[in-house]
C-alpha cells in the first residue's frame, strides 16, 4: 500500500504533466491561418454566420406586380 507521502508525490507529478499539456493545448488554440501555416478551412471558433431573413417587411412578388402595372399602363395609352 502506498504511503500518504508517495501518493502526494504521484499526484504532484500528474498535476505538473497535466498543467504542461494544458498549456500546450492553449497555445494550439491560439493558432489560426493568420499566424501559422494552417489553411483557413481549419480555423476554429466564430466561423460564418448566416443572416436571418426577416419576413413580413417586404411584399412578396413586388417585381411581378410592378412589371404587370407597366405593361397595363403601356397598353392603355
Amino acid at each position: 500500500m502506498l504511503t500518504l507521502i508517495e501518493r502526494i508525490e504521484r499526484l504532484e507529478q500528474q498535476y505538473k504533466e497535466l498543467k504542461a499539456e494544458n498549456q500546450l493545448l492553449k497555445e494550439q488554440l491560439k493558432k489560426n491561418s493568420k499566424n501559422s501555416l494552417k489553411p483557413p478551412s481549419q480555423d476554429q471558433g466564430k466561423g460564418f454566420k448566416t443572416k436571418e431573413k426577416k419576413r413580413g417587411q417586404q411584399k412578396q412578388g413586388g417585381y411581378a406586380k410592378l412589371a404587370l402595372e407597366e405593361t397595363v399602363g403601356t397598353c392603355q395609352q
Side-chain angles (χ1 to χ4, degrees):
M1 189 156 113
L2 296 176
T3 66
L4 190 56
I5 295 174
E6 290 172 341
R7 184 175 167 105
I8 291 172
E9 288 173 354
R10 277 192 177 177
L11 289 173
E12 285 177 345
Q13 182 62 32
Q14 281 182 328
Y15 170 75
K16 288 178 185 177
E17 291 171 3
L18 290 173
K19 191 173 180 180
E21 182 182 5
N22 188 21
Q23 184 63 32
L24 178 68
L25 292 172
K26 283 182 179 182
E27 289 173 10
Q28 288 178 358
L29 279 175
K30 291 179 185 178
K31 292 182 180 179
N32 59 31
S33 61
K34 293 182 181 179
N35 59 15
S36 71
L37 296 175
K38 290 174 62 175
S41 62
Q42 291 183 357
D43 283 347
Q44 299 289 327
K46 298 179 183 177
F48 295 103
K49 293 184 180 178
T50 58
K51 294 182 181 179
E52 293 183 22
K53 294 183 179 180
K54 296 179 182 178
R55 302 273 180 196
Q57 292 182 355
Q58 295 179 347
K59 295 180 183 178
Q60 291 186 351
Y63 178 76
K65 183 178 177 183
L66 178 63
L68 181 63
E69 289 173 358
E70 288 178 358
T71 55
V72 170
T74 56
C75 290
Q76 289 177 355
Q77 293 177 358

